[in-house]
Amino acid sequence: MSIKSNIMRRHDLDWLRVIVFGLLIFYHVGMFFVPWGFHIKNDIIYPEIRWPMLFLNQWRLPILFVISGMGTYYALSKRSGGQFAKERIQRLLLPLVVGMLFIVPPQVYFERLDKGHFSGGYFEFWPSQAFIGVYPEGNFSWHHLWFLPYLLLFSLVLLPALLYLRNHPESWLLKKTAVLASRPFGLFWLIIPLYIWESLLEPFFPSTHALWGDWFNIVNYITLFFFGFLLISVKEVFWKTVLKNRRKYLYCGVLGFTLLIGLRQLYSDSTLIHFIEALFKVFNLWAWILALFGYAAGYLNKPSKTLSYANEAVYPFYILHQTFTIAIGYYLMHLPWSFWSKFLLMSLGTFGFSWLVYEIGIRRWKVMRPMFGMKPKQTEKSVKSGNLVP
């Protein structure tokens, strides 16, 4: 069944995607300085910056999967199931392979140098050592590109259900979603499955991003992806509600994050505390997601040349950025500089080198564009919300 798309373009979704992936660069730079595990670490750790990073971490990935589900709705509105599957494989699998072969190995190389597991030049490491064994024991990895295989899996596994909902807009599920979305706090019923996953799955399946056996992340993120498709399917019902009630959701987010931090500071982990924390966590992340959609709808739903450029660049930037972050961090980690000196240099360097490679080595070259998930230049007049998310 072919459906002609009369869907109005949502520039706010484009802006949110660009902003959230921009924050990802700052987040990964921050990982260099906090006590949490990362590939390389600064000589001095700054525990206090984990609080703003924890704030971002609560909703950053969940909103990306919600936006991805929304983008899937746009993509399916003008493609058959087969065309959609082919496009997703081309625009997710090819960049993943390219990234694992050429972009991720330098990250592993610098980590092996830092930990004393390898010595020598990069081309002594790649390719002879780069693909021996699976990380962390070995060197072959997708590192920060884990988002791509997860998104590909969700897109293909859910495709029959998404096609059914696309072809049956009067289905019970979409009608129920519209009812929930029409009420200021009706959308908070959607945290019920998120709470079940957080309270019952998360303790037994810690996050690995390895796909195989990573059951909590798979179930949690595929749920958020599906929510995105449902919410965008009810169109203006959803957008009017989040726009009108954005301040309420903001207050809920502030309350939820305060409760979450307070609980972690005041009580030791236990079974009861885990169930309470899980509730605070899903309430908090969902409130921030709804607030962000509301404020974006109010202030960002307008086109601009900056948005057009950034929306096209965001996918290559995502693929490239962590390699530059780790490379720069490796040469700064032992210097007696302040936190802000290193943080700013790493942030500016990551953005700058990513932009340089994108502008000179990717955007202008027909053969390079598909390797980084970009559409052929001659057929692309603008980057739409229905295009690949990231």
Side-chain angles (χ1 to χ4, degrees):
M1 179 177 179
S2 176
I3 293 181
K4 293 183 178 179
S5 177
N6 295 316
I7 303 170
M8 184 176 294
R9 177 175 171 183
R10 300 289 316 190
H11 301 288
D12 46 359
L13 286 182
D14 294 336
W15 272 118
L16 276 176
R17 179 168 56 245
V18 169
I19 291 168
V20 173
F21 272 105
L23 290 173
L24 175 66
I25 292 179
F26 292 115
Y27 183 84
H28 281 160
V29 172
M31 288 294 292
F32 182 65
F33 299 98
V34 293
W36 306 336
F38 195 56
H39 306 293
I40 61 172
K41 285 295 191 182
N42 188 45
D43 279 354
I44 301 175
I45 299 300
Y46 299 87
E48 62 274 12
I49 70 168
R50 73 189 187 277
W51 300 118
M53 291 187 62
L54 178 63
F55 168 71
L56 283 179
N57 201 39
Q58 292 298 298
W59 51 262
R60 179 180 56 84
L61 284 170
I63 198 173
L64 281 177
F65 281 103
V66 174
I67 293 173
S68 298
M70 292 178 168
T72 297
Y73 175 82
Y74 285 101
L76 273 178
S77 69
K78 55 183 180 290
R79 294 177 179 87
S80 68
Q83 290 170 335
F84 171 79
K86 180 180 178 181
E87 186 223 26
R88 288 289 147 142
I89 291 171
Q90 289 175 340
R91 302 191 67 198
L92 288 167
L93 187 58
L94 178 58
L96 175 63
V97 172
V98 170
M100 293 176 70
L101 292 178
F102 301 105
I103 307 301
V104 173
Q107 301 177 34
V108 182
Y109 168 72
F110 284 115
E111 180 179 353
R112 297 305 183 220
L113 287 182
D114 176 50
K115 294 179 178 177
H117 298 163
F118 185 81
S119 61
Y122 179 69
F123 289 104
E124 297 176 65
F125 176 80
W126 188 93
S128 62
Q129 302 293 317
F131 310 116
I132 298 177
V134 176
Y135 187 91
E137 290 78 15
N139 296 327
F140 190 50
S141 175
W142 52 43
H143 269 36
H144 67 295
L145 302 182
W146 68 268
F147 185 82
L148 303 184
Y150 282 64
L151 187 55
L152 179 60
L153 173 68
F154 301 163
S155 300
L156 298 182
V157 167
L158 289 178
L159 184 56
L162 303 183
L163 288 172
Y164 177 85
L165 292 173
R166 182 197 71 174
N167 297 336
H168 298 84
E170 298 300 316
S171 67
W172 173 87
L173 183 56
L174 291 181
K175 286 183 177 179
K176 188 64 175 177
T177 303
V179 171
L180 294 178
S182 66
R183 300 168 181 169
F185 293 98
L187 289 171
F188 278 90
W189 285 102
L190 296 179
I191 71 174
I192 292 176
L194 300 179
Y195 175 69
I196 294 172
W197 314 147
E198 186 71 37
S199 58
L200 299 181
L201 275 182
E202 191 274 339
F204 302 102
F205 298 99
S207 177
T208 65
H209 297 152
L211 194 61
W212 184 260
D214 194 21
W215 289 112
F216 167 69
N217 278 336
I218 291 173
V219 173
N220 190 50
Y221 291 142
I222 200 172
T223 302
L224 290 160
F225 179 90
F226 188 62
F227 282 173
F229 189 91
L230 291 179
L231 294 175
I232 201 73
S233 297
V234 301
K235 303 179 177 70
E236 287 306 308
V237 176
F238 169 72
W239 294 110
K240 288 178 180 178
T241 297
V242 294
L243 181 61
K244 182 179 179 181
N245 298 284
R246 56 191 175 181
R247 185 172 294 182
K248 296 176 184 176
Y249 302 144
L250 177 62
Y251 294 155
C252 287
V254 172
L255 174 63
F257 190 67
T258 302
L259 291 172
L260 182 64
I261 296 301
L263 187 72
R264 292 186 177 183
Q265 292 292 94
L266 295 174
Y267 297 96
S268 301
D269 192 23
S270 67
T271 301
L272 176 61
I273 294 301
H274 168 74
F275 279 99
I276 297 174
E277 181 181 329
L279 179 60
F280 290 170
K281 182 176 180 180
V282 297
F283 174 80
N284 170 68
L285 73 86
W286 194 242
W288 284 107
I289 287 173
L290 296 181
L292 288 166
F293 279 131
Y295 280 97
Y299 296 102
L300 298 178
N301 194 21
K302 47 193 172 185
S304 74
K305 291 184 179 179
T306 300
L307 175 60
S308 297
Y309 183 89
N311 205 27
E312 186 180 26
V314 67
Y315 194 4
F317 266 60
Y318 158 69
I319 294 172
L320 293 167
H321 80 277
Q322 187 166 286
T323 295
F324 291 119
T325 298
I326 290 177
I328 298 169
Y330 177 79
Y331 292 104
L332 295 181
M333 59 197 309
H334 300 307
L335 296 181
W337 293 5
S338 69
F339 163 77
W340 283 111
S341 297
K342 291 185 179 182
F343 182 86
L344 291 174
L345 183 57
M346 289 178 69
S347 299
L348 292 172
T350 298
F351 276 105
F353 283 116
S354 297
W355 176 82
L356 197 64
V357 172
Y358 167 71
E359 186 63 31
I360 297 176
I362 299 173
R363 187 172 77 90
R364 305 166 188 270
W365 300 94
K366 180 179 179 180
V367 69
M368 296 298 293
R369 291 175 67 90
M371 295 184 184
F372 289 85
M374 301 176 68
K375 283 190 171 184
K377 192 173 182 61
Q378 64 269 25
T379 65
E380 184 170 19
K381 296 180 181 179
S382 63
V383 179
K384 299 181 179 179
S385 296
N387 288 347
L388 177 69
V389 183

